[in-house]
Amino acid sequence: ILLGAGGRELSLEHARESARVVSAIGPRYVSTLVMTPVPETPLWEQDRKGEFDRLSPGELAAELRELVAGLELNGAVFRSNHASNYLALAGTLPKDKRRLLDALDAVLADPARAPFRPERSRGL
């Protein structure tokens, strides 16, 4: 799932619909990445011009929380530990769903203390 793909306006809808589709498919593995402009691509140009509605780490955490809350899976490995992600989370659903949601709730309650990956450590 590509977090941030819907921008701010469609963030929660994107998370909810992604959860619905993934739950319907029932995969054994689900992972997230963050929409990241890559140099010399149209998205990079849009970002450079201020035309790309990039979400903050806190907004991405809120989108991720909505996604995880909506996932109804049985025995699926879940990862948001790709280098593009601000938060590295891992678990198996549904067993670890409450733990993942609690971790995201803690981030959303106090974003200043959240263990967000620094920009210099993020990449593709």
Side-chain angles (χ1 to χ4, degrees), residues 57-58 61 86-87 103-118:
Y86 284 96
L87 292 170
L104 288 161
D105 287 341
V107 165
L108 295 170
D110 191 1
R113 296 183 54 131
F116 291 127
R117 188 176 278 157

Side-chain angles (χ1 to χ4, degrees), residues 53-73:
D53 193 18
R54 195 189 302 210
L55 275 62
S56 71
E59 291 167 324
L60 289 163
E63 184 172 315
L64 179 57
R65 198 231 181 262
E66 192 72 19
L67 172 71
V68 172
L71 290 173
E72 297 295 332
L73 299 171

Side-chain angles (χ1 to χ4, degrees), residues 2-123:
L2 193 55
L3 299 174
R8 281 183 184 85
E9 183 178 336
L10 300 175
S11 179
L12 293 182
E13 181 181 349
H14 170 58
R16 289 175 188 140
E17 288 300 307
S18 294
R20 183 184 63 77
V21 170
V22 170
S23 294
I25 295 169
R28 294 177 184 245
Y29 185 86
V30 178
S31 67
T32 66
L33 296 96
V34 171
M35 183 85 155
T36 305
V38 176
E40 300 183 27
T41 64
L43 184 62
W44 184 79
E45 284 297 323
Q46 288 177 321
D47 187 54
R48 194 176 63 73
K49 294 175 185 175
E51 298 169 354
F52 173 59
D53 193 18
R54 195 189 302 210
L55 275 62
S56 71
E59 291 167 324
L60 289 163
E63 184 172 315
L64 179 57
R65 198 231 181 262
E66 192 72 19
L67 172 71
V68 172
L71 290 173
E72 297 295 332
L73 299 171
N74 188 16
V77 172
F78 174 82
R79 297 288 185 267
S80 71
N81 58 356
H82 182 268
S84 67
N85 287 295
Y86 284 96
L87 292 170
L89 298 174
T92 301
L93 299 173
K95 178 177 67 106
D96 298 319
K97 186 173 186 174
R98 182 75 266 159
R99 180 180 56 78
L100 294 168
L101 292 172
D102 288 347
L104 288 161
D105 287 341
V107 165
L108 295 170
D110 191 1
R113 296 183 54 131
F116 291 127
R117 188 176 278 157
E119 284 295 330
R120 69 182 180 280
S121 298
R122 292 180 60 249

